[in-house]
Amino acid sequence: MKKAVIDIGTNSVKLIIGERSHGDAIKIILDVNVITKLGEGMRKDGRLSEAAMARTAQAVVKFADFARSQGAEEVVCVGTMALRTAENAGDFIETVRAAGGPEVRVLSGEEEAALSSRAVLNSIDGASRGEVLIFDTGGGSTEFVRAAGGEIERAFSVPVGAVTLTDENFKSSPSDPRLVCSVIAALTRKFSEAGVRPGAAMMIGAGGNVTAIASVAAGLDRYDPNVIHGSTLTREEIMRQTALYAKCTDEERREIKGLSPKRADIILGGACIILAAMEAAGAKEIVVSDRSLRHELLRKELSQDTEI
């Protein structure tokens, strides 16, 4: 039996299709994403723009139709930060429904953090031992989870992501290094006040911004999750890339090997969030995870464990 999950984020829409393999193992048939920037400009009035809703709804409907054409018997569709906070989120959900798309369920920040972290804990060597701090930075929020011995102790969401941070601070490029330092310092305080603290034996980063920076560090011509998942990023490497993105125009960033051109305009914001999270946690390096909430939702659906 094949099933599919569509994850509607603030920056991108992701589709994963899978089926049961041997025992409890899950075989991933397809895992793709498209950047639609649903939350673009939302900071101005707290509303999703008509253009952003239209292109994102179109992507969701196309993904759902494709999943069904590939034999998916069920398509689960969830939304995250943009749909949690936008005043007109209901309009978007109705747009998807009217176009023949799947029913969209909006996850709470705690649900999102728990799903993302479980996907990480189940796939990174050593994550189930000792104390681990996991963070997943998206377009509109960053989720943090502290776990010990494979069990989640605390999950919380901070409403800051690469899209919203870019809208607030980095609308033009290049960027003033003093502004970049100021943003990182302010984010570090914000994360510390939210409950991020030093002490974890391992820090794991997930989400498109983290994997994009890992792809640049590896110099990949084409993104390869098998290379990225489980790799390590040092604080020095992330600082190097942050400085690089700050001094480049968006056009110059699009030429950087390993970086998706569609992520070029928000990657500086993503790098600032990652550095601030590491600073608040006192981490010198992070382990990179290519797994996120869609992987855990797919596992739950295929195991018939639908409780979130």
Side-chain angles (χ1 to χ4, degrees):
M1 177 186 293
K2 294 178 183 176
K3 292 192 177 184
V5 172
I6 297 173
D7 169 14
I8 306 169
T10 305
N11 187 55
S12 62
V13 179
K14 305 175 185 70
L15 166 69
I16 187 169
I17 304 173
E19 63 185 1
R20 267 194 176 282
S21 185
H22 304 292
D24 291 331
I26 302 299
K27 179 183 178 183
I28 296 176
I29 298 169
L30 183 73
D31 189 3
V32 295
N33 74 86
V34 59
I35 293 177
T36 63
K37 298 183 180 177
L38 176 62
E40 187 175 51
M42 200 178 93
R43 297 295 277 187
K44 288 188 294 185
D45 58 7
R47 297 176 62 83
L48 303 170
S49 73
E50 294 295 329
M53 287 196 291
R55 62 179 178 254
T56 303
Q58 182 182 49
V60 171
V61 172
K62 284 185 175 180
F63 271 169
D65 289 345
F66 178 76
R68 295 187 186 103
S69 76
Q70 298 304 300
E73 297 183 22
E74 186 175 358
V75 179
V76 175
C77 186
V78 297
T80 54
M81 185 61 183
L83 295 181
R84 279 198 295 272
T85 58
E87 292 180 6
N88 57 340
D91 293 344
F92 171 80
I93 293 171
E94 181 55 38
T95 298
V96 173
R97 184 187 296 117
E103 189 67 28
V104 179
R105 187 169 81 81
V106 181
L107 299 175
S108 70
E110 290 71 23
E111 287 176 319
E112 182 181 357
L115 285 166
S116 296
S117 61
R118 183 53 59 188
V120 173
L121 290 170
N122 290 340
S123 63
I124 293 289
D125 289 341
S128 60
R129 300 189 298 272
E131 189 172 350
V132 177
L133 178 63
I134 303 165
F135 73 101
D136 188 335
T137 176
S141 65
T142 300
E143 280 61 54
F144 290 92
V145 169
R146 189 170 289 273
E151 296 299 322
I152 297 172
E153 293 187 334
R154 187 189 176 203
F156 58 99
S157 179
V158 181
V160 59
V163 172
T164 53
L165 194 69
T166 299
D167 282 347
E168 289 179 345
N169 298 281
F170 303 127
K171 290 295 287 183
S172 62
S173 60
S175 298
D176 187 334
R178 293 170 297 182
L179 173 61
V180 173
C181 291
S182 175
V183 167
I184 294 171
L187 284 175
T188 301
R189 290 192 297 272
K190 191 179 188 73
F191 290 154
S192 296
E193 290 167 0
V196 179
R197 57 177 174 80
M202 178 189 294
M203 188 173 189
I204 303 171
N209 298 294
V210 174
T211 56
I213 286 177
S215 177
V216 171
L220 298 183
D221 289 314
R222 184 175 182 179
Y223 185 81
D224 184 346
N226 295 317
V227 172
I228 298 304
H229 189 65
S231 63
T232 300
L233 282 171
T234 64
R235 187 171 182 272
E236 288 73 22
E237 172 60 21
I238 300 170
M239 290 177 66
R240 181 191 73 80
Q241 289 194 37
T242 303
L244 172 63
Y245 302 139
K247 74 178 183 180
C248 289
T249 64
D250 286 351
E251 291 74 20
E252 290 169 335
R253 292 177 196 163
R254 293 187 184 99
E255 300 301 318
I256 296 174
K257 186 176 182 180
L259 181 64
S260 168
K262 291 185 177 181
R263 193 170 288 275
D265 59 337
I266 65 166
I267 191 62
L268 176 58
C272 288
I273 292 170
I274 296 165
L275 275 178
M278 294 178 72
E279 185 68 24
K284 294 182 179 180
E285 65 179 29
I286 58 173
V287 178
V288 179
S289 173
D290 180 68
R291 307 294 185 263
S292 196
L293 69 89
R294 66 190 182 279
H295 298 86
E296 180 62 9
L297 266 178
L298 179 66
R299 185 195 67 78
K300 283 178 172 286
E301 289 299 319
L302 289 171
S303 66
Q304 299 301 308
D305 177 10
T306 56
E307 180 182 355
I308 296 177

